[in-house]
């Protein structure tokens, strides 16, 4: 039996990962789905990356979670990297699921193509409250391309405005992921086109892990909605010893 | 219920797509499989690209087809792009299935590796009637690599000599695909090696669509013969809203 | 009915391919799994590439095997290339399964990234008997990433120290694979990360075959342990006419 902590991506909360966590629990593991500070309904959207990481550091300490398989999706890759750097003794393995892999001093924006950075900044200016949202056509075609329209719409309604400062802030790490002393895996969904082909998730970001285990499955960036069963299995294949 | 119009590739006719169209119809949609001018038995093989496109423009007008999901395979990508440019009000979504995506002024040959252009031109010189055929070993190994020999031979016998002028002619468009105001999808068969790896279908050609939905499935360039069921599902996954 | 000869990779023997060969036999074919000289228990680990190739040349002649589908895995690609160059009249088709494809004058090391060459040389220095072994963490994460830990450990125990001279020796060929007059196929497991992404198996090595048939399946470099059934089917899809 292992302990899985699933860290959601931008615009999401832990709640959207509950179906995946329940499948992992049904296979005999413990599983947890905290929501990062900045994505909870009452949080101010002025939150930055350090506070966001700190909120998960606190969650693990408060719940005294150890020997963890810490899983990060997309933006969640920033969070699990920062948490692992702070609490290395609590980690058994890191699992990046179509997730950003930062080195010390990098921001999420540093790993985005310029077109996305510009789009998000212009949306944030329009909104004026420190948050950014995704336009539905991009969500539909490039984030959840493997689902039917009803699923795409329902999932879109579950999204929350994301604090843009967490995308701009550079992470501060004592060690880069390649130097971290525990095992690492990368789960890559092969139809994930949320990042364009010239800036892919894998191998561009996965290679920053050094020796890592690759698990690939069909699916879009939002497999948590389109096929939680396939995703849960992939996370367990990535997370096992 | 949607309306699908399936446009075949070089050397094919609409007849070879009937099994796919029937599966789409069985799922509750209308489906049509016209044959492009130049590929019908009685057509002269001197036909050029503009006439080929015009024949499908006429077909859509004659049958008063609207709100279409217009699907193009391979060379058929040239045709659907030209048709959509002429009849934008009849289109709901373009679906490119391992298809060429031309910008204004480009020919199919412009998107082929030089080795294929030279091969096709030399075959056309030998034939002397304006048409080109595929050598069986290339068909067997690189076009229909996922089928058994009997299927490969049967499908090969269904092919017709293709008017080479349609490969040479540059397309004339008022707008490039990226500027066209309707949704676009790209269906990519992951074992399609009919174009060599340094000139792949996806992402080299798909990226010319700008924002597009990717659907990927296992299969060769000729999945219409080797697995029509899988192909029909992929086309519907690509074509839905 | 065809005749399949399966040539194992480095650190393996023919014995580990018996489950695959049995599945091929159950489908109505003849199948053979010789062990290359240098990998048998009693062989000296000073064996070089020419002797290794010679041992399979002798095996085919001794058993009078003809009209062969000769399949090579990984290092086995060096062997089948050398054997086909020596005995072209006995070959019907070559099948490379995540295998090295050498041209005349190339060594396996010439196709490895420098990091692996250095690692293997340093391990060989430590061992001092002319052989190299794989460290378990690399085996677990990058060679057999799709299996559970028990399978990974059991398979690891079956490995034998590999003669490093066979990796260093340059092959001597009368013709490069692209010039060889029989059909060729490449089986590519899509999660094979035993070679890093900037030195992939396919298309980097497969393209050296010229016209070839691609068969792709999910799986790691060691699909013979993690899913012999899927591998046997892929080999037969690659090997049929």
């Amino acid at each position: 039996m292992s302990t899985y902590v699933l860290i959601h991506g931008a615009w999401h909360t832990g709640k959207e990962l509950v179906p995946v966590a329940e499948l992992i629990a049904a296979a005999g593991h413990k599983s947890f789905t905290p929501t990062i500070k900045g994505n909870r309904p009452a949080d101010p959207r002025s939150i930055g990356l350090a506070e966001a990481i700190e909120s998960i550091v606190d969650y693990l300490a408060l719940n005294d979670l150890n020997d963890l398989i810490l899983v990060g999706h997309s933006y969640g890759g920033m969070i699990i990297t920062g948490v692992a750097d702070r609490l290395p003794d609590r980690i058994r393995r890191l699992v990046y699921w179509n997730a950003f892999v930062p080195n010390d001093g990098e921001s999420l924006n540093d790993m985005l193509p310029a077109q996305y950075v510009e789009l998000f900044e212009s949306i944030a200016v329009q909104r004026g409250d420190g948050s950014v949202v995704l336009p539905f056509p991009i969500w539909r075609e490039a984030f959840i391309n493997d689902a039917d329209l009803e699923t795409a719409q329902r999932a879109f309604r579950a999204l929350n405005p994301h604090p843009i400062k967490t995308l701009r802030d550079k992470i501060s790490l004592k060690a880069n992921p390649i130097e971290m002393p525990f095992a690492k895996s990368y789960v890559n969904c092969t139809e994930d086109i949320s990042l364009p082909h010239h800036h892919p998730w894998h191998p561009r970001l996965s290679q920053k892990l050094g020796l890592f285990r690759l698990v690939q499955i069909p699916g879009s960036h939002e497999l948590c909605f389109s096929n939680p069963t396939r995703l849960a299995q992939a996370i367990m294949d990535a997370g096992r010893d």
Side-chain angles (χ1 to χ4, degrees), chain A:
Chain A
M1 204 207 58
S2 301
T3 303
Y4 285 83
V5 177
L6 310 184
I7 304 297
H8 61 81
W11 301 293
H12 294 61
T13 70
K15 193 178 166 190
E16 289 90 69
L17 296 180
V18 167
V20 179
E22 286 176 346
L23 289 159
I24 293 173
H29 304 291
K30 287 189 192 167
S31 62
F32 299 87
T33 58
T35 296
I36 305 164
K37 189 172 180 181
N39 293 103
R40 296 169 304 195
D43 288 336
R45 263 46 188 176
S46 54
I47 292 292
L49 183 60
E51 279 171 283
I53 291 168
E54 186 71 22
S55 72
I56 302 300
V57 166
D58 291 348
Y59 177 89
L60 299 187
L62 196 67
N63 292 277
D64 197 22
L65 299 177
N66 285 291
D67 202 26
L68 293 182
I69 298 157
L70 188 58
V71 183
H73 179 219
S74 200
Y75 161 67
M78 302 294 292
I79 306 299
I80 66 170
T81 307
V83 168
D85 192 61
R86 292 279 302 279
L87 300 176
D89 294 345
R90 291 184 185 267
I91 309 295
R92 183 176 193 86
R93 183 182 286 261
L94 291 180
V95 176
Y96 293 82
W97 151 38
N98 289 93
F100 293 95
V101 181
N103 284 331
D104 182 45
E106 281 189 307
S107 68
L108 189 152
N109 277 351
D110 289 339
M111 290 175 265
L112 276 190
Q115 70 207 65
Y116 266 142
V117 175
E118 288 158 22
L119 175 69
F120 292 163
E121 291 292 338
S122 77
I123 291 171
V125 166
Q126 288 167 39
R127 294 182 58 84
D129 68 347
S131 76
V132 61
V133 296
L134 264 184
F136 182 76
I138 294 179
W139 171 258
R140 174 68 192 112
E141 303 295 330
F143 278 67
I144 192 163
N145 38 311
D146 60 344
D148 61 22
L149 181 61
E150 191 199 334
T151 303
Q153 289 171 331
R154 180 171 44 79
F156 190 70
R157 286 192 296 270
L159 300 182
N160 69 84
H162 189 81
I164 196 165
K165 192 167 184 300
T166 63
L167 313 184
R168 294 179 190 143
D169 286 353
K170 293 178 185 306
I171 199 168
S172 177
L173 298 172
K174 292 186 288 290
N176 289 336
I178 202 169
E179 300 149 354
M180 292 184 180
F182 26 78
K184 296 132 201 168
S185 297
Y186 205 95
V187 175
N188 185 50
C189 292
T190 52
E191 284 70 45
D192 186 337
I193 52 168
S194 64
L195 289 180
H197 78 280
H198 47 83
H199 275 71
W201 296 100
H202 167 74
R204 181 180 65 112
L205 299 174
S206 55
Q207 68 168 305
K208 296 166 80 173
L209 299 175
L211 179 65
F212 72 98
R213 181 189 306 169
L214 176 67
V215 175
Q216 283 195 130
I217 42 171
S220 72
H221 194 60
E222 298 291 338
L223 195 60
C224 46
F225 299 112
S226 52
N227 199 327
T229 303
R230 190 191 295 151
L231 176 60
Q233 187 59 55
I235 288 174
M236 290 185 283
D237 289 350
R240 63 189 171 185
D241 280 348

